[in-house]
Amino acid sequence: MRCTACGAENPDANNFCQKCGFSFAGAGATQAAVVPVKTAGTAIAALVLGILSIFTCGITMIPALVCGIIALVQISGSSGRLKGTAMAIIGIVMPVVVIPIIAILMGILMPAIGPSRTLAQRIVCGHNLSAIGKSMLVYAYDNDGEFPTPGKWCDLLIEQADATEKQFTCPAAEQKDTGSYAMNPAVEKMGINSPADMVLIFESQPGWNQVGGPELLTIDNHQGEGVNILFVDGHVEFIAPEDVPDLLWSTYE
């Protein structure tokens, strides 16, 4: 049936024009009141819920599908008085199609997130040791070139050199309620006059005010890839496991 108001073709069973809402008084009607076409509320709801399902990990997926199906039924039985078929279809299709795509992308990206987090933790650990090295120098300059007493070096740096307790814990360490570093006792006698490339502070087994040598060193914090070392001259290096035996621990080596 052709609408006499706008010229659009409509199914013969329609009482209203799908395009302009013109009311058909009968197949041969030439004049009737124009009734506005409304968008089905369920179609709008389906579209909104479909979009939200992308940001809610699919929580609104089922409601979007239900609203979309109901909207299509309502529109098809409204004789042209309701519109929104495209909205309803999008609300149905979007969560079904987009969410699996997002899941696939997450599966691709997740493996890259782990290494990035590991690298970030390694960098923070290095910054911790660098800050400790600065505190060591501050303490030494205030104490005739001597480093803190090994048995209480953490406490002394906090008390006298503005170090913070947080700086003594590696973010990658499993135990975060205690220290992650140890001091090489061999530097105590010579202080800042110790060889520049001698180990000063290193990543160790968990403990506070720890003192020792290679027996305490650990590479577990960084998946066995290496260990952060603070040297007497204040620089920090990430040392690979195969290079650990070459570290200078005392002047007698």
Side-chain angles (χ1 to χ4, degrees), residues 73-177:
V73 173
Q74 290 176 335
I75 293 170
S76 64
S78 69
S79 299
R81 288 173 294 178
L82 291 176
K83 62 180 181 179
T85 302
M87 290 184 180
I89 293 175
I90 293 173
I92 293 173
V93 173
M94 184 173 292
V96 175
V97 175
V98 177
I99 290 179
I101 293 176
I102 293 176
I104 293 172
L105 291 176
M106 289 299 293
I108 296 173
L109 294 175
M110 284 301 291
I113 295 176
S116 298
R117 181 171 180 270
T118 299
L119 178 60
Q121 290 176 331
R122 180 195 303 180
I123 293 173
V124 173
C125 177
H127 286 328
N128 284 349
L129 284 174
S130 180
I132 291 173
K134 291 180 175 62
S135 295
M136 279 280 193
L137 291 177
V138 170
Y139 182 93
Y141 289 140
D142 290 341
N143 291 272
D144 299 323
E146 296 182 359
F147 287 129
T149 303
K152 50 184 178 179
W153 66 277
C154 294
D155 295 325
L156 288 173
L157 290 182
I158 292 175
E159 294 171 3
Q160 301 183 33
D162 296 326
T164 64
E165 187 172 333
K166 185 178 180 180
Q167 292 171 342
F168 293 91
T169 300
C170 171
E174 291 187 5
Q175 292 184 236
K176 302 188 184 302
D177 56 347

Side-chain angles (χ1 to χ4, degrees), residues 20-36:
C20 69
F22 185 83
S23 177
F24 304 133
T30 58
Q31 188 70 28
V34 175
V35 178

Side-chain angles (χ1 to χ4, degrees), residues 169-192:
T169 300
C170 171
E174 291 187 5
Q175 292 184 236
K176 302 188 184 302
D177 56 347
T178 185
S180 304
Y181 310 113
M183 179 178 177
N184 178 14
V187 301
E188 181 180 12
K189 292 183 179 180
M190 299 182 65
I192 59 175

